[in-house]
Amino acid sequence: MSPTDRPKRLAEPDFQVTYINGPMPPCSLHWELDKVVVEAAYDGKTAYGPWAYMCARCFIDHGIGLGTGRGQRLLPGPRPAATDTAT
């Protein structure tokens, strides 16, 4: 297999990560409850049903986990470029 024929993969192959170009959203729970701006680290479903942007503490306390239908980690910046799978 030549280097150009190798399959490509994203640096983060799972769908539990979303890259945010621009400012990170605020934690929805901190904002709604205390009107305090705290940077969100997760976008996920809460134990109460609705989805929310959550900081790490709120995700631990109120989130239901990562994965399809549950939540995803938010990372700042653009999605990494594809890389070769063979090294």
Side-chain angles (χ1 to χ4, degrees), residues 34-65:
D34 303 322
K35 300 299 184 224
V36 175
V37 176
V38 176
E39 189 174 276
Y42 297 90
D43 177 23
K45 189 171 183 179
T46 66
Y48 316 108
W51 283 64
Y53 289 120
M54 294 176 267
C55 64
R57 180 78 253 162
C58 288
F59 183 76
I60 290 168
D61 292 344
H62 307 287
I64 64 166

Side-chain angles (χ1 to χ4, degrees), residues 10-25 39-44 51-53 66-80:
L10 294 176
E12 292 284 347
D14 62 86
F15 296 105
Q16 297 176 4
V17 175
T18 295
Y19 292 90
I20 304 292
N21 285 323
M24 296 292 279
E39 189 174 276
Y42 297 90
D43 177 23
W51 283 64
Y53 289 120
L66 296 175
T68 304
R70 300 171 68 81
Q72 53 201 349
R73 176 86 164 98
L74 302 176
L75 295 177
R79 178 177 292 279

